[in-house]
Amino acid sequence: MTPSPVYRTARAVLRYNDTFLLAIHASFRRQHKKRWGLPGGGIEWGEQPKEAVKRELREELDLQLDALIELGPYSYKGHQHLIYGADVDHAVEHYDTRELLELRWFSKTELNRLAPHHLHAGYELQAIDRFVDLDSH
């Protein structure tokens, strides 16, 4: 029997009117790096990844989401990160400034220009492409 993977974080691709939400996490404050990443965060002990991403989106963005599509695991620095996708009905603009330094909606063209030097983990664009591809089928 193969053990189930252990995920370090759960993050979300959020789409509103063909734009995608990225954030600069406050953990970069000490590193003086401004790299854009997907909202979400750490999975607490005993917590399922889907519940973790819902909790993180509530805490960081005051966003309640029930319909999340699993986009799959992505690896970063030797750890597994489970990514979900969801469409939102409004452009989230307010966020917890203790958790996030900045928040911005990007078009696909802008995201292509950001990659790879200004994206945090490198899988962000792949996860967004997967979400768009799933939607087109």
Side-chain angles (χ1 to χ4, degrees):
M1 185 165 143
T2 307
S4 61
V6 176
Y7 298 106
R8 184 171 185 167
T9 68
R11 300 198 180 275
V13 170
L14 300 177
R15 178 175 52 192
Y16 173 69
N17 287 345
D18 293 324
T19 60
F20 300 89
L21 187 66
L22 293 182
I24 297 175
H25 292 265
S27 59
F28 293 135
R29 184 176 288 130
R30 292 180 303 279
Q31 300 171 17
H32 303 291
K33 292 180 181 175
K34 289 186 102 179
R35 298 221 171 156
W36 295 97
L38 298 173
I43 299 171
E44 295 177 357
W45 179 255
E47 189 175 40
Q48 294 298 312
K50 192 171 194 175
E51 296 311 310
V53 78
K54 287 180 180 182
R55 176 185 50 74
E56 287 286 346
L57 294 175
R58 267 192 322 271
E59 290 173 2
E60 292 179 356
L61 306 173
D62 196 26
L63 187 62
Q64 302 281 343
L65 289 179
D66 291 320
L68 291 165
I69 298 167
E70 187 176 315
L71 300 177
Y74 291 84
S75 183
Y76 176 66
K77 291 189 175 180
H79 298 281
Q80 291 293 316
H81 305 264
L82 195 54
I83 311 302
Y84 295 89
D87 286 303
V88 295
D89 61 2
H90 67 284
V92 176
E93 296 177 6
H94 301 285
Y95 56 92
D96 184 341
T97 57
R98 295 168 299 178
E99 298 267 349
L100 304 172
L101 297 177
E102 199 170 337
L103 197 67
R104 185 166 159 215
W105 292 91
F106 291 92
S107 70
K108 196 67 170 49
T109 302
E110 291 171 316
L111 287 168
N112 287 328
R113 282 194 295 253
L114 278 179
H117 303 294
H118 299 287
L119 295 178
H120 170 64
Y123 59 66
E124 293 87 357
L125 197 52
Q126 292 171 329
I128 289 167
D129 286 341
R130 180 162 172 76
F131 185 55
V132 170
D133 287 346
L134 286 175
D135 194 44
S136 66
H137 291 104

